[in-house]
Amino acid sequence: MVSTDRFLAFAAMSLLVIVIPGPSVLFVIGRALSHGRRTAVATALGNVFGSYILVVAVALGIGALVERSAAVFMAVKLAGAAYLVFLGVQAFRHRKDMKVSDMEAPPGPARGDLRTVVDGVLVGVTNPKGIVFFAAVLPQFVDHAAGHLPAQMLLLGLVPISIGLVTDTLWGLGAAAARSWFARSERRLSLVGGAGGFAMIGLGVTVAATGRAD
């Protein structure tokens, strides 16, 4: 249904876009610094789910509306930015609650992981970089003559999703490893957690201030 050359071309384009750290990568790093490896992986998983929701929206024609309407795009962008700031403030407020002993404790309840995944989904689905990429770039790689355009988009959309899952997870694990090194001191661990919170706040402000590329 999707020719090999189009598939490979889109994979190359996706890799070029994804290797440049964007909101999703910085969000995963911020969560890793504030909460550790488990949260980083769950956040990366949520991010790719959110990104694939954008793929589905584009395949159904909704993504084009969001990308072309300045008002709708602004609303989505500001919602994502506000949520990033909220999560950053929460991480900063609770930075002193982190203990070295907590890092050695058994994993928390599944509900905590689910909430973390949902956080990642919300950030992924409101990511301006993802909205523009999937709405403006993805449709260019479908074969109109072959028909079944929504199915082609859904299939092609799995390419950047797979790449993003691998790269975001690696970024998160790397940041979590650095956090583990700092965890020898609870004071330093608190500072790292605060840095993660500040990173998410700064990311939220940056997303809100970034204009749309027309």
Side-chain angles (χ1 to χ4, degrees), residues 11-37:
M13 175 68 74
S14 299
L15 183 60
L16 288 175
V17 172
I18 292 173
V19 294
I20 302 173
S24 63
V25 170
L26 298 179
F27 178 59
V28 170
I29 290 174
R31 296 289 271 180
L33 291 176
S34 296
H35 302 287
R37 181 176 60 224

Side-chain angles (χ1 to χ4, degrees), residues 95-103 182-193:
R95 68 191 186 283
K96 294 183 179 179
D97 297 340
M98 295 189 297
K99 305 294 183 183
V100 173
S101 57
D102 293 339
M103 299 182 67
F182 278 104
R184 296 175 184 175
S185 164
E186 290 189 355
R187 180 176 178 275
R188 284 181 293 177
L189 181 60
S190 175
L191 291 175
V192 171

Side-chain angles (χ1 to χ4, degrees), residues 61-79:
I62 301 173
L65 170 64
V66 175
E67 199 275 331
R68 292 172 185 170
S69 171
V72 175
F73 184 88
M74 180 64 69
V76 172
K77 181 182 75 168
L78 291 180

